[in-house]
Every structure is written in structure tokens, then in C-alpha cells.
């Protein structure tokens, strides 16, 4: 730890970090564009300049140096004395912000970034209301640089964060700077659009409205969006994200900083993978079949019906004929509740961990990096909680098996009552599974979309999307992370956790915390869940 | 001014001097042979004693620059700055055209002193003919064992490569030059680390100007004391001066640094006065970037120190461009600001936006729609762009601010008169179109 003095206040900071980072960590709002903790330092925006004390060359007496230093490029040293609260620094803020707005079109009313734009914020805080330039603005072009991204060069502040991102994090290098001076532009090479699995991050790191997400373009004013801290369910990496919604519609997902998992980034697959949440084809009501007829019972009737029928099955065929499949799309809490329901109804019952969708190999970035060198990894397990569910099945003890074993045994006619949980955003039921399901007398299916299983089921319970639920996922490395509800269920539907809670015989409202307290007695890991560290407020 | 015997251009006019044989017949490569028998530290000491200040513009002592190299380095690279991108400057070009082997000899001495294994000669893309001259001289030197392995039996190896730029002014800045050699976009790097510690390919690197290197053979041959005897103590040694514009004899001339700007323009051995007897209005004495002199300031000495007394940034490249009485000062301003607006690399905000804003104002004033407040604004923009050190990564915005601020300050009354006399209707019309 080093001790440095900023504006007369002594702070402690990590050794070797840039002064800018130390100041941001300690709560100073230092304007900056080009600096990003995840990228190399270019010190070109010249906004974060500071004054520094150095020993006089002859007298060795400490004094303020007439020159300004870029705080992003100056590492902290023990005993360093710097200041941002000075006329020189303020003059520089003022002139820089005037310069930035000279050729800017000031089209904030139609800009997606408005409301979270650092050109607006810094101009408001440090700049002028009027431009002294009477000459014509130089207009750099708007460009379509890739299938998902637009570049409005007229709003650009030339911080080159996006260029460094594609060079250093993805290693794909699609972006570059062309031309010089005020004609300098970010661009792609002819015929090579910005199209890599992580390109969406360039929109996040753009401090102004220059890089735009086509998916979000003109959809929503950002000040109407409310964010919920969440975990991306797209793969087993468990990236920290924020779900931005307004009136129960999700408009976008943004990564949150988590140095243990995803740093500042997320992949496009996760970022744009939420669309199924608003699919009209989703199951939203419970369904009960008596003979050939299907009915839609009240939510309140469900616990009773399910438990009575399950007990009947146990009485008729014995507990060993009962099985449940715990999906890796479930939260740890839901999986544990279902295990509890099944084992309480029939201690000899079989618990199986659910189908894990796998797509190719893990993808490491920068492209070509090994696992150890990787700055970011997209996992091939396309579900958030495979390890969590496997842990719960394992700790439940008794008769357990994996998914393939379960399908085999069901095909062999080993089970008469089966509870299968899906909840996958895409079609997942294999022919074998659908065929085997027909041999079961009592089938409960908890799923998101209609499929061959739900058609065969006696009880169908809607599985809700992760953004409608809360709980925790255990990622590939065993880290248990919380995700919070972002939107309400449609038609006042009961969320998975709530109906499982009720079927398990618990009273009142489900909450992840209540269930984790129950779980912690049996499974030590759930006593503590990982908290995502907070990024500094003024960092962007 | 005392009688002056040319040193750097002593071989000018000698027939076939570009060939190795002729150069050697006039004592060429004797200094290199002498240096290779000394130790590198002795060479550095001699150059430090001579106080050879860099001829590229900043005037930093070359010997001192070499001592910044880390002692425990394994590899060292030498970059020769032959970009010569400063407007009205052509000293290096003349030097290389006249006497290419003198330049190669300088590379060998500097390379040996810094123990560099490789030297890169970085030249601007417009140097087509000069490229062939340099390449031919290098090839000849290789054949004669003056470059490559075991130079003159000394055990010292040096490879020399030529590298051509792509036409950027900033690549004359040493770190811009390094980036360009690395094949990247020509943009100056942030310092620290300085090139001596981490330069080309992240190795310890020395960047020296062509003229600096051309002085080395003479220092080694005749000694530091002789070198010190030329010119003044702080500005010692021979120097090439360019003079261009409407003078009777524009060209590149050699002199000691006790010459005045007036002598350079009017002297019989130099510019021989103004063409058609017109009088001088303004002079940019050190390349564009150093600033501007008025007609009554021509007594300025062309050394490393005196220019500061006249509100200039420094000696620069010692290339004077003269503006005569007939020239509209508004056109001068427009032309100067256009250059920097065009050449700013675009990294740093102040420079990118400031140079382009100043150009916009300057062209509007030249079109006849100037306002008196534009003059204040030009000064303010210049001050906010490059007057305070540390505002930007390299010195380009300082180089842009000095001549523009100098023009506005020193010729303010002339600008104001133009603005007073511009047809008001046209000015209003132009301004309303812009608004």
C-alpha cells in the first residue's frame, strides 16, 4: 500500500496503480475518456491532467511543477503529492470540453447515449454552455461497421477505447484509426466488419454516443430504464450483468464489473440472448390433465394436486419408482426445494441432474490465447448452474444418476412417477426422452415452451426465465453468485421458487435467502455467497 | 562574422564525391577508423566535451542523450532521423545529396559510441532520389567492409537499413518515427518511458538527426576543442542554414552559429538580399514551428539561445523563410494554420481540435469575414493548446501555437486594419452563412 496526497487529503492506495485510478477508487470524480482499467494507457484525451509536486533540481525542496501530468499515465509512489483542485487543471477541463464540442452535432435529443453520456456529464460539470466557434462544423460520417453496431463518427471523442478493445481483449483487431487531425476517424478495414463474439462491449466502453447497438437503437430513453443486478444465464461462466428494463420489458443487458469472473466484459451470445424472455409462445399457466382433457387450474390448487398425486404413486408403486430431473437452468435454491419435495415424498426416489447443453469448445480471448492467458472465456456449457445442480444432487445422497443414465432407466421402464425440469430457451427434448416419457404413469414437467414432454405430461408447470426469478447460480469454478429479479411474471404467475416452496410445505413468500438458510445446514457452501465487488462510482 | 571555412559542406562541388573512392581520397572514413580504435566511452566523452547539440530542432546535447541508455543493455538500436518534415527545411537533404558518405561515417561513429547493432535511416517518402543516394552509399560501404560484420577489423558489427515514411509530419518526432518504423500508425508515444530505455521494438534506442551525425567525423578527427572554437560556447560547431522565400539566392548555407538572421537574408555569401528590392515583412527563422520575427527583429542571432529573447520557441531547424512586403499577412496565417491542422495526428484533444479551429478562423479572416475578437480567440486557443508544457503527448501543438500566436501578436494592427477595411456586406453574408 502506498500513501499519497490528493488535494490535501491523504489516501491509501494499491502500489503502482495510476494516480487516476487511485483517485477514482477514493471517490474523486476525475473526468477521463481514454483511460479504461481493462485497456492499455494511451493518455490521449488529456482530460485527467493534474499538478504534481517534485523536488526542485537544485534545492531539493518539494514544490508544484509548472507542467501538467496525465494522471492516468503516472503511477502512484509513496509520499506523492498531487492536486486536481487547481486553476490550471480547471482551465484545462474547460478548454478540453470546449474543444470536444466544437464539431459535435449536439443531437442529444435523438442520441441513445443521452442520460448516460460522459460528454453531457462532463460538459455539465466542467464545461461551458456556449461555443465560441462561429465557423461551420466539420462533419465526420456515420457508418455501419458491423452486423450489430453503428458508428456515428460526428459524436466521437477519439478516445480509441474501442480500437484498443479489439486489439487487446478480443485480439481480432477489426477497428483502426484512419486519417489525421480533426478528420481522424475510427473505421473498419474494407470487407472486414466488426463481427466478433464480444463486439458488443465496444458500445459499453464508448464514453459517448458514437458506437451504437443496433438492437437497442432508438428503443428507449435510458433514464426510464431500471437495472437489476443479475448473472448471465447463457453459459457456465457466470458473468455479472445488469438487466435493464422498463415496465417489465427487458431492453438490454450490460456487463457489471467482476474481477473474479468477467472483468468488465460479456459476450454477445449472453448480451443478446434474452429475447426468449418476451416470446409469446411461452407457457404462462399451469396445466392439469385428467384423462384426455386438459384444464388450467388456479395456482392455489397446484400444491395440493401435485402432492396428492405423488403420494398416490408412491403408495401404488413404491418410492423407488419415483424420479426427478433437476435442470441446470434452475437456481440452486429451486433445485434444492425440488430435491426436498421428492425425497420427502419418497426417500428411495432417484435424483438426476438435468440435460447440459454443450456447444463446441470453450472460446478464449484474445483469440488464440490459452486458458491461463485468457482475458475472457465463453464456456461451452450453455447453462448457468450445471455445477450447482450436480452439487445438490450429489449432496442429496441416496439414489442419484446423471442425465443419460436417467433416460436409459426411464426407457427401461424403471420409473412410474417422474418430475422433469427443463427451462431451456431452445428445443431440448430428444426423441428417446419423449418416447421414454410415454412409459411413465405420472409425469410432471416444468418447462418454458411447449414440447413433446409437456404434451405427454399430466401436470405442466411453467418454468420462468431467470430475469423473472431470484436465487443463485454456481458457476463452472464453484462460485455461488446471486441474481435478482428484474421483471414480474406475466398474468401474475407464480415463480418456480414460490410454487416449489409451497409444494415443499413451506409457508409464506419464497426468498432465496430463506431457502439458503435452510440449505446451509446440509450444504456448507451455501452459508456464504460471493458478493460482486463494487466498481468505483466515477469509473466508466 | 569571422571568415568561415565550410566543414560539413567542404566536399560540395567535388566531382563524383558520392562515390566511396573519392570520399576516401579526401580523408573519408579516417575518423571512423580512429573512433573504432577508441572505447565507446571515450567517443561519448569527446562528443560531450564538444557539446554537440542536436541539430534536429530541440538542441539537446547528443553526448548526454547517449548516456541515458541503460548500462546493462543487451541490444541497442540507432534511428537516424532523415524525415526532415519541417516546412522550409532542407539542410539534411542537401547534406546527404552533397556528401552521403560523411553521413554514413557519422552513423558508424554514433553506432559504435552507443554500441548499437542496427541502425535505421528513416526518410520521408518524398525523398525518392535521396533514397537511392543513401542506399547506394550504404551498399558501397558494405562492400568495402565499412558496414556489416567486423567493421575495419575492429570486431564491431553494425547493420544499416533504410526505412521510408508515408508522409506524416509527426513522424519527425522521435517516438512518432519509432512507431512508424514498427509499421504502426505514425503517432507519437507517451513518455516515459523515453526511447533510451524503451524505444524501437521496446529496446533501448537512440534517435539522432542527420546533421548531428554528420558533425561526428569532424569532432573525432579534429577534437572537441576545435569544435568548441567555432561559434559560441553554448552553440558550438558548424551549422547549416536554409533560406527561402523571395530572396535573391535561396539555398542552404553553412556558417557558425554567431550569424544573425539579417546576415542570412542579406549577406553576400547567403541570401544576397530581397528580390526586386522589396522589403522584409516577416521571417520564420527556425522552420515554421519556432515562431515569427518582424522586420525590426532581424538582428536575432541564429543560435540555440537568442531566439527565446524574441518570443520564439527555439532555433528549430534554422531554416528561415522570408515573407516580403507584398504578402497579405492573412494568407500567411491561413497557410501556417492549414499546415498544422493537416498534420496533427489526432491523438490529443487540444491539438486535434485546436489546430482545426485555428485553421477555420484563419481561413475566414482571409476570406474577408474576420472579427476583431477572432484575434483574441486565436491567441487564447493557441495558449490553451500548447503554451503550458504537458498538455499534449508531443510538441506539435506547441509548434502550431508559437507561429500563430506570434503572427497575431506581432502583426495585430495589420490584421485589425484588414478587418476594418473588409466590405461589411460580404463579411456579414459570410458570417450568416456559417451561422
Amino acid at each position: 500500500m502506498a500513501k499519497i496526497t490528493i488535494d490535501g487529503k491523504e489516501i491509501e492506495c494499491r502500489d503502482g496503480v495510476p494516480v487516476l485510478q487511485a483517485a477514482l477508487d477514493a471517490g474523486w470524480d476525475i473526468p477521463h475518456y481514454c483511460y479504461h482499467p481493462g485497456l492499455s494507457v494511451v493518455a490521449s484525451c488529456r482530460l485527467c491532467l493534474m499538478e504534481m509536486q517534485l523536488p526542485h533540481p537544485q534545492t531539493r525542496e518539494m514544490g508544484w511543477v509548472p507542467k501538467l501530468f496525465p494522471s492516468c499515465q503516472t503511477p502512484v509512489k509513496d509520499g506523492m503529492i498531487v492536486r486536481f483542485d487547481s486553476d490550471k487543471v480547471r482551465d484545462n477541463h474547460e478548454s478540453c470540453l470546449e474543444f470536444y464540442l466544437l464539431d459535435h452535432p449536439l443531437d442529444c435529443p435523438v442520441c441513445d447515449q443521452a442520460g448516460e453520456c460522459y460528454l453531457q456529464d462532463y460538459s455539465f460539470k466542467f464545461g461551458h454552455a456556449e461555443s465560441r466557434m462561429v465557423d461551420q462544423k466539420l462533419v465526420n460520417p456515420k457508418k455501419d461497421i458491423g452486423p450489430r453496431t453503428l458508428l456515428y463518427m460526428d459524436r466521437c471523442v477519439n478516445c480509441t477505447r474501442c480500437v484498443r478493445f479489439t486489439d487487446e481483449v478480443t485480439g481480432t483487431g477489426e477497428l483502426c484509426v484512419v486519417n489525421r487531425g480533426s478528420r481522424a476517424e475510427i473505421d473498419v478495414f474494407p470487407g472486414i466488419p466488426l463481427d466478433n463474439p464480444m463486439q458488443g462491449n465496444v458500445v459499453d466502453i464508448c464514453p459517448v454516443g458514437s458506437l451504437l447497438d443496433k438492437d437497442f437503437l432508438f428503443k428507449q430513453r435510458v433514464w426510464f430504464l431500471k437495472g437489476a443486478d443479475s448473472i448471465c444465464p447463457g453459459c457456465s461462466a457466470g458473468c455479472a450483468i445488469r438487466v435493464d428494463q422498463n415496465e417489465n420489458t427487458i431492453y438490454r443487458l450490460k456487463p457489471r464489473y467482476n474481477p473474479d469472473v468477467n472483468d468488465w466484459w460479456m459476450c454477445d451470445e449472453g448480451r443478446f440472448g434474452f429475447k426468449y424472455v418476451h416470446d409469446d409462445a411461452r407457457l404462462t399457466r399451469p396445466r392439469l390433465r385428467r384423462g384426455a382433457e386438459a384444464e388450467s387450474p388456479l395456482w392455489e390448487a397446484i400444491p395440493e394436486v401435485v402432492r396428492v398425486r405423488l403420494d398416490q404413486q408412491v403408495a401404488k408403486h413404491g418410492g423407488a419408482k419415483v424420479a426427478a430431473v433437476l435442470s441446470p437452468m434452475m437456481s440452486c435454491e429451486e433445485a434444492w426445494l425440488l430435491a426436498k419435495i421428492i425425497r420427502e415424498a419418497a426417500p428411495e426416489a432417484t435424483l438426476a441432474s438435468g440435460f447440459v447443453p454443450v456447444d463446441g469448445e470453450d472460446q478464449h480471448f484474445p483469440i488464440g490465447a490459452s486458458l491461463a492467458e485468457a482475458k475472457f472465456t465463453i464456456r461451452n456449457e450453455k447453462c448457468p448452474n450445471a455445477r450447482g445442480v450436480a452439487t445438490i444432487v450429489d449432496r442429496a445422497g441416496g439414489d442419484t444418476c446423471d442425465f443419460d443414465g436417467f433416460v436409459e432407466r426411464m426407457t427401461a421402464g424403471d420409473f412410474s412417477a417422474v418430475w422433469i425440469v427443463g427451462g431451456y430457451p431452445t428445443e431440448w427434448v430428444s426423441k428417446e426422452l419423449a418416447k421414454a416419457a410415454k412409459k411413465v404413469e405420472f409425469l410432471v414437467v416444468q418447462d418454458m415452451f411447449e414440447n413433446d414432454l409437456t404434451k405427454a405430461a399430466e401436470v405442466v408447470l411453467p418454468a420462468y426465465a431467470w430475469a423473472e426469478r431470484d436465487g443463485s447460480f454456481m458457476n463452472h469454478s464453484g462460485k455461488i453468485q446471486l441474481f435478482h429479479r428484474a421483471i414480474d411474471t406475466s398474468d401474475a404467475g407464480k415463480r418456480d421458487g414460490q410454487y416449489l416452496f409451497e409444494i415443499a410445505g413451506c409457508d409464506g413468500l419464497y426468498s432465496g435467502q430463506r431457502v439458503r438458510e435452510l440449505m446451509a445446514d446440509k450444504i456448507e457452501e451455501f452459508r456464504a455467497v460471493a458478493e460482486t465487488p463494487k466498481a468505483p462510482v466515477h469509473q466508466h | 562574422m569571422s571568415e568561415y571555412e565550410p566543414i560539413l559542406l567542404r566536399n560540395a562541388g567535388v566531382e563524383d564525391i558520392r562515390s566511396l573512392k573519392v570520399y576516401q581520397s579526401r580523408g573519408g572514413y579516417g575518423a571512423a577508423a580512429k573512433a573504432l580504435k577508441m572505447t565507446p566511452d571515450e567517443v561519448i566523452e569527446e562528443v560531450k566535451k564538444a557539446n554537440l547539440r542536436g541539430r534536429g530542432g530541440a538542441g539537446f546535447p547528443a553526448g548526454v542523450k547517449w548516456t541515458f541508455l541503460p548500462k546493462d543493455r543487451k541490444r541497442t538500436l540507432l534511428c537516424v532521423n532523415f524525415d526532415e518534415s519541417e516546412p522550409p527545411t532542407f539542410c539534411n537533404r542537401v547534406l546527404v545529396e552533397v556528401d552521403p558518405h560523411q553521413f554514413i561515417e557519422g552513423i558508424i561513429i554514433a553506432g559504435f559510441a552507443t554500441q548499437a547493432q542496427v541502425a535505421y535511416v528513416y526518410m520521408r517518402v518524398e525523398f525518392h532520389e535521396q533514397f537511392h543516394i543513401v542506399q547506394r552509399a550504404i551498399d558501397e560501404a558494405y562492400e568495402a567492409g565499412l558496414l556489416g560484420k567486423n567493421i575495419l577489423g575492429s570486431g564491431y558489427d553494425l547493420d544499416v537499413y533504410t526505412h521510408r515514411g508515408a508522409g506524416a509530419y509527426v513522424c519527425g518526432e522521435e517516438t512518432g518515427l519509432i512507431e512508424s518504423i514498427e509499421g504502426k500508425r505514425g503517432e507519437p508515444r507517451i513518455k516515459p518511458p523515453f526511447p533510451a530505455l524503451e524505444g524501437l521494438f521496446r529496446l533501448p534506442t537512440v534517435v539522432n538527426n542527420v546533421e548531428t551525425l554528420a558533425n561526428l567525423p569532424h569532432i573525432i578527427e579534429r577534437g572537441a576543442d576545435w569544435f568548441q572554437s567555432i561559434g559560441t560556447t553554448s552553440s558550438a560547431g558548424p551549422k547549416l542554414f536554409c533560406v527561402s522565400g523571395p530572396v535573391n539566392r535561396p539555398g542552404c548555407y553553412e556558417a557558425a552559429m554567431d550569424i544573425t538572421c539579417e546576415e542570412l537574408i542579406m549577406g553576400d555569401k547567403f541570401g544576397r538580399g530581397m528580390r526586386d528590392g522589396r522589403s522584409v515583412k516577416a521571417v520564420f527563422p527556425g522552420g515554421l514551428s519556432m515562431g515569427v520575427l518582424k522586420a525590426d527583429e532581424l538582428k536575432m542571432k541564429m543560435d540555440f539561445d537568442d531566439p527565446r529573447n524574441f518570443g520564439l520557441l527555439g532555433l528549430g531547424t534554422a531554416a528561415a523563410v522570408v515573407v516580403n512586403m507584398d504578402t497579405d499577412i492573412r494568407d500567411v496565417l491561413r497557410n501556417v494554420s492549414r499546415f498544422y491542422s493537416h498534420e496533427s495526428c489526432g491523438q490529443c484533444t487540444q491539438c486535434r481540435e485546436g489546430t482545426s479551429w485555428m485553421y477555420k478562423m484563419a481561413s475566414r479572416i482571409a476570406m474577408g469575414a474576420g472579427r476583431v475578437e477572432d484575434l483574441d480567440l486565436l491567441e487564447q486557443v493557441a495558449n490553451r493548446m500548447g503554451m503550458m508544457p504537458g498538455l499534449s503527448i508531443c510538441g506539435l501543438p506547441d509548434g502550431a501555437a508559437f507561429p500563430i500566436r506570434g503572427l497575431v501578436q506581432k502583426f495585430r494592427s495589420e490584421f485589425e486594419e484588414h478587418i476594418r477595411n473588409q466590405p461589411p456586406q460580404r463579411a456579414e453574408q459570410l458570417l450568416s452563412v456559417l451561422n
Side-chain angles (χ1 to χ4, degrees):
Chain A
M1 295 293 264
K3 273 195 181 137
I4 66 167
T5 307
I6 306 177
D7 294 341
K9 271 180 232 134
E10 196 176 71
I11 60 160
E12 280 205 351
C13 49
R14 286 170 290 150
D15 283 310
V17 296
V19 175
L20 173 61
Q21 188 62 58
L24 292 169
D25 288 344
W28 265 266
D29 184 6
I30 310 298
H32 61 283
Y33 288 132
C34 67
Y35 176 76
H36 189 286
L39 303 171
S40 62
V41 172
V42 290
S44 68
C45 76
R46 313 312 284 184
L47 259 179
C48 71
L49 302 187
M50 61 174 182
E51 281 192 80
M52 185 154 71
Q53 282 197 359
L54 286 178
H56 189 275
Q58 272 98 48
T59 62
R60 313 304 298 164
E61 210 175 295
M62 292 292 276
W64 296 108
V65 179
K67 159 182 175 161
L68 292 175
F69 296 86
S71 63
C72 61
Q73 191 206 341
T74 314
V76 297
K77 265 208 307 255
D78 202 37
M80 186 180 242
I81 304 172
V82 302
R83 67 178 175 200
F84 293 97
D85 186 16
S86 83
D87 287 340
K88 269 189 196 169
V89 172
R90 271 187 295 269
D91 272 0
N92 180 56
H93 290 164
E94 256 182 50
S95 63
C96 267
L97 284 158
E98 182 176 30
F99 285 142
Y100 276 123
L101 288 184
L102 286 181
D103 292 329
H104 189 283
L106 303 176
D107 56 350
C108 303
V110 292
C111 177
D112 269 352
Q113 190 84 3
E116 54 181 16
C117 171
Y118 284 90
L119 201 46
Q120 284 184 333
D121 292 358
Y122 290 158
S123 295
F124 177 75
K125 197 160 177 188
F126 307 105
H128 279 296
E130 283 169 21
S131 173
R132 291 180 293 171
M133 190 180 82
V134 297
D135 306 275
Q136 206 152 29
K137 288 191 182 199
L138 203 150
V139 183
N140 281 320
K142 296 177 165 69
K143 296 183 263 205
D144 188 347
I145 55 166
R148 291 185 184 279
T149 308
L150 291 174
L151 173 62
Y152 279 27
M153 213 32 237
D154 49 354
R155 296 175 187 159
C156 181
V157 292
N158 291 60
C159 69
T160 70
R161 277 180 176 193
C162 51
V163 179
R164 282 174 283 147
F165 177 83
T166 58
D167 281 349
E168 296 162 17
V169 180
T170 63
T172 47
E174 294 101 335
L175 296 176
C176 63
V177 183
V178 299
N179 298 344
R180 288 192 306 226
S182 52
R183 292 268 181 210
E185 282 177 36
I186 309 296
D187 209 345
V188 288
F189 297 91
I192 309 171
L194 175 66
D195 190 9
N196 67 59
M198 291 180 71
Q199 61 82 34
N201 292 292
V202 298
V203 179
D204 301 340
I205 56 177
C206 182
V208 298
S210 190
L211 282 158
L212 300 162
D213 183 349
K214 286 184 190 170
D215 188 60
F216 182 71
L217 191 70
F218 305 142
K219 292 265 167 64
Q220 188 70 203
R221 308 282 29 201
V222 298
W223 48 83
F224 293 133
L225 293 175
K226 287 155 283 281
D229 287 355
S230 187
I231 299 297
C232 177
C235 76
S236 60
C239 296
I241 60 165
R242 194 184 71 220
V243 179
D244 279 351
Q245 60 89 19
N246 180 27
E247 301 194 331
N248 287 323
T249 301
I250 300 174
Y251 287 94
R252 62 179 187 186
L253 307 185
K254 288 272 184 189
R256 276 185 302 141
Y257 173 57
N258 186 351
D260 298 328
V261 179
N262 56 315
D263 290 335
W264 301 265
W265 326 120
M266 73 185 293
C267 69
D268 280 12
E269 197 181 326
R271 184 185 300 268
F272 302 110
F274 67 88
K275 297 300 168 66
Y276 68 89
V277 174
H278 300 300
D279 194 329
D280 287 340
R282 271 182 53 189
L283 300 170
T284 54
R285 302 284 307 159
R287 197 167 70 205
L288 218 55
R289 197 191 303 278
R290 285 202 179 90
E293 265 175 60
E295 61 172 88
S296 186
L298 291 176
W299 278 104
E300 285 70 24
I302 291 294
E304 180 72 18
V305 170
V306 172
R307 286 173 67 170
V308 167
R309 293 197 186 186
L310 202 56
D311 288 346
Q312 283 172 352
Q313 283 293 322
V314 176
K316 197 169 158 194
H317 299 289
K321 288 284 218 179
V322 177
V325 178
L326 275 50
S327 162
M329 301 304 287
M330 299 171 93
S331 73
C332 297
E333 293 80 357
E334 291 154 1
W336 187 81
L337 281 172
L338 180 55
K340 178 174 147 73
I341 291 166
I342 296 298
R343 278 292 160 81
E344 276 176 7
E348 317 86 340
T350 304
L351 290 178
S353 42
F355 166 68
V356 175
V358 172
D359 181 17
E361 298 290 318
D362 287 355
Q363 269 183 287
H364 302 299
F365 294 93
I367 296 258
S370 66
L371 176 61
E373 301 159 339
K375 291 182 176 169
F376 190 87
T377 301
I378 303 173
R379 302 280 159 182
N380 64 354
E381 279 182 5
K382 300 301 175 193
C383 54
N385 202 23
R387 185 157 172 178
V389 166
T391 306
I392 285 161
V393 169
D394 182 49
R395 296 301 166 83
D399 186 23
T400 61
C401 65
D402 64 8
F403 185 67
D404 290 342
F406 165 79
V407 177
E408 230 166 76
R409 286 170 67 181
M410 189 159 76
T411 311
D414 281 5
F415 306 121
S416 69
V418 173
W419 186 319
I420 300 176
V421 185
Y424 305 94
T426 49
E427 179 59 54
W428 68 283
V429 180
S430 67
K431 281 206 178 85
E432 297 81 59
L433 181 63
K435 216 170 130 193
K438 295 206 173 105
K439 301 192 172 166
V440 175
E441 218 177 286
F442 176 59
L443 179 65
V444 182
V445 174
Q446 200 182 321
D447 213 337
M448 196 176 281
F449 294 99
E450 195 77 61
N451 54 36
D452 289 346
L453 274 188
T454 57
K455 281 176 200 151
E458 189 168 329
V459 180
V460 175
L461 297 168
Y464 284 96
W466 101 105
E468 294 155 321
R469 304 170 0 226
D470 58 291
S472 62
F473 291 141
M474 188 190 280
N475 79 349
H476 71 99
S477 68
K479 193 179 287 294
I480 302 167
Q481 305 185 96
L482 298 183
F483 62 97
H484 299 281
R485 179 163 54 136
I487 55 173
D488 294 330
T489 55
S490 59
D491 302 341
K494 273 189 187 169
R495 295 177 286 145
D496 308 33
Q498 184 64 38
Y499 60 70
L500 289 171
F501 200 57
E502 289 170 11
I503 297 169
C506 304
D507 287 332
L509 281 178
Y510 159 87
S511 87
Q513 185 55 34
R514 278 184 74 180
V515 178
R516 275 193 301 281
E517 277 163 21
L518 295 172
M519 292 166 79
D521 289 341
K522 310 257 167 34
I523 312 177
E524 185 57 32
E525 284 93 324
F526 287 92
R527 212 168 281 285
V529 288
E531 287 294 336
T532 314
K534 287 267 174 278
V537 184
H538 300 297
Q539 181 114 60
H540 63 90
Chain B
M1 223 203 103
S2 51
E3 265 310 296
Y4 185 82
E5 181 74 22
I7 297 152
L8 299 172
L9 298 180
R10 75 197 159 97
N11 288 335
V14 175
E15 200 185 331
D16 208 15
I17 183 62
R18 287 179 194 164
S19 78
L20 178 62
K21 229 166 67 199
V22 177
Y23 181 67
Q24 275 177 326
S25 74
R26 296 179 58 85
Y29 288 105
K34 187 176 167 192
L36 290 170
K37 288 196 187 90
M38 298 159 74
T39 68
D41 284 343
E42 281 167 3
V43 177
I44 295 177
E45 222 23 69
E46 195 67 21
V47 175
K48 266 164 89 175
K49 217 171 105 199
N51 192 20
L52 168 63
R53 297 179 66 170
R55 297 328 199 210
F60 194 82
V64 178
K65 198 177 197 176
W66 296 345
T67 58
F68 293 157
L69 290 165
K71 291 274 169 289
D72 55 350
R73 64 191 190 272
K74 299 236 161 33
R75 283 179 66 76
T76 315
L77 303 177
L78 172 67
C79 293
V80 184
N81 190 343
F82 188 22
D83 193 54
E84 194 157 61
S85 42
E86 186 66 31
T89 309
F90 43 93
C91 324
N92 291 353
R93 175 169 67 80
V94 170
L95 198 55
V96 167
E97 281 172 355
V98 163
D99 209 352
H101 279 287
Q102 172 180 256
F103 162 57
I104 307 284
E105 193 175 357
I107 296 178
I108 296 169
I109 295 168
F112 177 70
T114 55
Q115 287 296 295
Q117 290 88 359
V118 183
Y120 294 91
V121 179
Y122 185 91
M123 57 184 83
R124 64 184 301 162
V125 69
E126 292 87 347
F127 282 166
H128 300 292
E129 202 189 326
Q130 293 74 15
F131 164 71
H132 293 292
I133 295 171
V134 171
Q135 193 59 55
R136 210 173 298 131
I138 290 173
D139 293 345
E140 258 188 310
Y142 262 106
E143 266 171 45
L146 292 160
L147 290 176
K149 294 263 175 271
N150 193 14
I151 297 171
L152 296 173
S154 65
Y156 171 63
D157 306 335
L158 177 69
D159 281 313
V160 178
Y161 299 100
T162 48
H163 186 102
R164 306 184 70 184
Y169 176 60
V170 270
C171 291
E173 199 271 354
E174 58 179 8
T175 54
L177 180 148
I178 284 169
E179 289 276 296
S180 177
I181 294 183
E182 286 184 8
K184 299 181 185 148
R185 184 176 154 82
E187 283 178 344
R189 271 186 198 167
I190 45 175
K191 288 150 275 193
F194 286 92
L197 301 177
E198 242 185 69
L200 185 58
F201 307 121
R202 298 285 158 190
L203 293 169
T205 303
V206 171
V207 186
N208 281 135
N209 178 264
V210 169
E211 195 182 330
T212 314
L213 296 181
N215 273 296
L216 294 175
H218 305 288
I219 293 175
I220 296 301
E221 205 169 273
R222 305 202 209 175
D225 294 333
W226 161 83
F227 192 81
Q228 272 288 307
S229 71
I230 305 167
T232 63
T233 324
S234 66
S235 308
K239 177 83 189 88
L240 296 186
F241 296 92
C242 299
V243 56
S244 50
V247 292
N248 283 320
R249 202 177 66 144
C252 176
Y253 305 102
E254 185 176 342
M257 277 185 272
D258 51 6
I259 183 178
T260 63
C261 186
E262 186 163 27
E263 173 79 22
L264 190 61
I265 298 165
M266 303 298 174
D268 264 358
K269 291 181 176 163
F270 304 103
R272 286 191 189 155
M274 297 296 286
R275 215 156 54 202
D276 307 326
R278 319 297 298 183
S279 54
V280 175
K281 177 182 268 185
V283 181
F284 294 86
L288 274 194
S289 305
M290 294 300 118
V292 64
L293 291 180
K294 286 199 296 188
D296 57 6
E297 292 175 323
L298 299 185
K299 59 189 180 300
M300 186 193 86
K301 280 224 172 70
M302 299 286 281
D303 65 11
F304 285 112
D305 309 309
D306 205 31
R308 287 178 207 277
N309 302 331
F310 293 83
L312 303 189
L313 191 50
L315 175 64
T317 56
V321 63
V322 186
V323 176
N324 76 7
M325 230 44 220
D326 299 342
T327 313
D328 188 334
I329 198 72
R330 298 177 297 178
D331 289 338
V332 178
L333 179 70
R334 172 163 66 174
N335 207 359
V336 170
S337 57
R338 190 181 70 143
F339 175 76
Y340 293 104
S341 163
H342 184 249
E343 292 296 346
S344 164
C345 79
Q347 275 191 99
C348 304
T349 311
Q350 286 91 340
C351 175
R352 178 181 68 236
E353 305 296 341
T355 51
S356 123
W357 190 8
M358 292 200 294
Y359 174 48
K360 284 179 192 171
M361 281 190 271
S363 4
R364 180 161 46 78
I365 294 170
M367 277 191 292
R371 307 169 303 163
V372 178
E373 58 257 47
D374 288 332
L375 302 175
D376 301 324
L377 202 49
L378 273 167
E379 254 190 84
Q380 272 181 32
V381 174
N383 282 335
R384 292 185 141 187
M385 209 175 80
M387 289 300 147
M388 198 193 325
L391 281 183
S392 49
I393 292 173
C394 80
L396 194 146
D398 307 76
F402 263 88
I404 292 174
R405 190 181 66 158
L407 278 170
V408 173
Q409 283 176 345
K410 292 183 177 175
F411 298 90
R412 186 167 178 117
S413 57
E414 203 175 326
F415 280 112
E416 281 178 353
E417 202 189 318
H418 279 300
I419 291 170
R420 260 198 309 278
N421 295 336
Q422 66 198 11
Q425 270 172 332
R426 181 173 154 69
E428 261 169 46
Q429 198 188 355
L430 271 167
L431 273 166
S432 72
V433 166
L434 294 172
N435 278 318

